[in-house]
Amino acid sequence: MDILETDAYDRRQRRNSSCILFLFLLPFFVSSSLYFYLWIPQNAPSLFAAAVKCSPVLSLAVLVLAHNGGQSLLGVAGGLLFSACGDCCLIWPELFLHGMAVFAVAHLLYCTSFLSERYSSLSSSSSSSALFLSISLWLTGIGTYFYLLPFLQKRTDSAILTPALGVYMVLIIAMTTLALHTRWSVTAVGGLSFLLSDLALSLQVFGVVDPLAEGRAVVMTTYYLAQVLIAVGDVKAGSYTGDGLRKRKIM
């Protein structure tokens, strides 16, 4: 009977936690919907455009801080805050390198979080699949970098951009690899979505394909999806102890 009561209690806890999490995510859904509704032209950079673009990610940072506390500033919450700064930089094309540097710091913070005990590793069988996918990602990343090299060399800032992009690609693939090896599927999908978003962005920024409204929509949809999944994964990870047991609390 005790086992049945414990199981019923855990189900109620999960249901209550899901409802509370959904309420905390409402600011993200509203602000991201506002971004797509306004769809401010890229050729009209402004502080208002920057605020609209970064507000969904800032709302996620508040969510993670509310659930996991100040220590998350050295993890996912900090990564989200740096990502929001990167969003602001990318509003102005001349700040592209600054934005890339800020996002690089965000990936480092994500990596730090994914290496913690809260993100315990997968089982051996699942880890094998994640390892195969990780190797594929690294090989794809190396191939993509060399494919982009001729396009990078046409730019006036190629002397700085070429090595900077190499470092950035190493960091984002490392972040995605670590995400794949956590026990949280939402985190893994979030890492992959972030990688897809950056790939779509780089193809447009570096002139591989012509920038289109549809291309921007792909970039931002996968980007916001990545950030919300990483944030939700961190909230879930924060509700478990180091040995994988659920904490007896609501969120």
Side-chain angles (χ1 to χ4, degrees), residues 9 16 21 23-24 34 136 154 174 232:
Y9 175 83
N16 292 338
L21 180 58
L23 291 176
F24 271 94
L34 181 63
S136 300
K154 296 178 182 178
V232 169

Side-chain angles (χ1 to χ4, degrees), residues 77-177:
L80 289 166
L81 290 174
F82 273 96
S83 294
C85 293
D87 289 334
C88 293
C89 290
L90 294 184
I91 289 289
W92 290 271
E94 63 272 19
L95 296 180
F96 179 80
L97 275 172
H98 299 77
M100 190 165 64
V102 174
F103 273 113
V105 176
H107 293 313
L108 280 173
L109 290 171
Y110 288 153
C111 288
T112 300
S113 190
F114 298 161
L115 287 170
S116 66
E117 282 188 352
R118 297 181 301 116
Y119 288 86
S120 55
S121 300
L122 294 166
S123 63
S124 57
S125 58
S126 299
S127 183
S128 299
S129 301
L131 178 61
F132 174 78
L133 184 54
S134 299
I135 293 173
S136 300
L137 287 177
W138 281 99
L139 292 175
T140 302
I142 293 171
T144 301
Y145 179 72
F146 283 102
Y147 176 75
L148 290 174
L149 271 180
F151 299 93
L152 296 175
Q153 292 168 354
K154 296 178 182 178
R155 295 173 59 104
T156 56
D157 57 353
S158 61
I160 299 176
L161 183 60
T162 301
L165 182 63
V167 172
Y168 180 82
M169 290 186 70
V170 168
L171 289 175
I172 190 172
I173 296 176
M175 181 276 291
T176 307
T177 299

Side-chain angles (χ1 to χ4, degrees), residues 10 17-18 23 27 32 46 61 68 78 80 85 100 167 174 217 219 240:
D10 286 340
S17 297
S18 298
L23 291 176
S32 57
S46 65
N68 293 339
L80 289 166
C85 293
M100 190 165 64
V167 172
V219 170
Y240 279 73

Side-chain angles (χ1 to χ4, degrees), residues 1-249:
M1 188 65 179
D2 290 339
I3 295 177
L4 293 176
E5 289 177 352
T6 301
D7 185 59
Y9 175 83
D10 286 340
R11 286 199 302 271
R12 288 196 301 272
Q13 287 286 80
R14 287 193 293 270
R15 185 167 57 250
N16 292 338
S17 297
S18 298
C19 291
I20 294 173
L21 180 58
F22 176 78
L23 291 176
F24 271 94
L25 284 171
L26 283 179
F28 167 80
F29 293 132
V30 172
S31 56
S32 57
S33 297
L34 181 63
Y35 171 82
F36 287 107
Y37 174 75
L38 294 175
W39 203 240
I40 300 171
Q42 291 180 294
N43 59 1
S46 65
L47 291 177
F48 177 71
V52 171
K53 185 180 182 182
C54 73
S55 57
V57 178
L58 286 176
S59 72
L60 293 175
V62 173
L63 165 68
V64 174
L65 282 170
H67 286 82
N68 293 339
Q71 71 273 11
S72 59
L73 286 172
L74 296 178
V76 168
L80 289 166
L81 290 174
F82 273 96
S83 294
C85 293
D87 289 334
C88 293
C89 290
L90 294 184
I91 289 289
W92 290 271
E94 63 272 19
L95 296 180
F96 179 80
L97 275 172
H98 299 77
M100 190 165 64
V102 174
F103 273 113
V105 176
H107 293 313
L108 280 173
L109 290 171
Y110 288 153
C111 288
T112 300
S113 190
F114 298 161
L115 287 170
S116 66
E117 282 188 352
R118 297 181 301 116
Y119 288 86
S120 55
S121 300
L122 294 166
S123 63
S124 57
S125 58
S126 299
S127 183
S128 299
S129 301
L131 178 61
F132 174 78
L133 184 54
S134 299
I135 293 173
S136 300
L137 287 177
W138 281 99
L139 292 175
T140 302
I142 293 171
T144 301
Y145 179 72
F146 283 102
Y147 176 75
L148 290 174
L149 271 180
F151 299 93
L152 296 175
Q153 292 168 354
K154 296 178 182 178
R155 295 173 59 104
T156 56
D157 57 353
S158 61
I160 299 176
L161 183 60
T162 301
L165 182 63
V167 172
Y168 180 82
M169 290 186 70
V170 168
L171 289 175
I172 190 172
I173 296 176
M175 181 276 291
T176 307
T177 299
L178 291 174
L180 289 173
H181 286 273
T182 67
R183 69 195 303 267
W184 305 107
S185 57
V186 290
T187 302
V189 177
L192 289 170
S193 185
F194 211 135
L195 190 61
L196 178 60
S197 176
D198 275 10
L199 175 61
L201 177 63
S202 63
L203 291 177
Q204 296 176 70
V205 169
F206 302 135
V208 180
V209 298
D210 294 330
L212 299 172
E214 294 81 2
R216 179 186 172 194
V218 170
V219 170
M220 294 309 300
T221 300
T222 51
Y223 170 69
Y224 283 145
L225 176 64
Q227 297 287 34
V228 70
L229 291 177
I230 289 172
V232 169
D234 198 63
V235 170
K236 288 181 175 293
S239 66
Y240 279 73
T241 60
D243 55 4
L245 296 176
R246 188 176 182 85
K247 294 178 181 177
R248 294 294 184 176
K249 66 175 185 177

